[in-house]
Amino acid sequence: MAGKMQLVRVTVPSQDFISTVDAMAKWLTSEGIIVPLSTFSGDKDKRNISFGFSSDAEGKRFAERFGGELRP
């Protein structure tokens, strides 16, 4: 049975989207974290970047690093 996933949402200004995703990818790689779920949404002003983590601890560290919000 699959476990519960820790969801984290980060909201950034649209003009910072590419650089933020790049920084996130580099951080995830350096930490050896594989994210099984990711979604992106938004408009011309802001973008929501959401990741699902297999581990609560990984999700919490990511949220702290990127100013994310832990989601139920």
Side-chain angles (χ1 to χ4, degrees):
M1 180 168 89
K4 185 181 112 180
M5 199 173 288
Q6 175 63 65
L7 298 175
V8 178
R9 182 175 69 190
V10 178
T11 302
V12 298
S14 289
Q15 68 267 20
D16 297 337
F17 177 74
I18 298 297
S19 62
T20 301
V21 170
D22 184 54
M24 290 173 169
K26 288 177 180 174
W27 185 85
L28 290 166
T29 299
S30 73
E31 295 291 316
I33 298 172
I34 297 172
V35 181
L37 171 73
S38 61
T39 62
F40 307 95
S41 63
D43 56 32
K44 66 181 182 128
D45 296 319
K46 66 180 178 180
R47 300 285 173 108
N48 295 311
I49 306 164
S50 298
F51 290 106
F53 292 85
S54 300
S55 157
D56 287 350
E58 290 174 350
K60 184 177 179 184
R61 284 191 1 247
F62 181 85
E64 289 170 355
R65 170 64 179 84
F66 291 100
E69 174 186 1
L70 297 172
R71 308 287 292 180

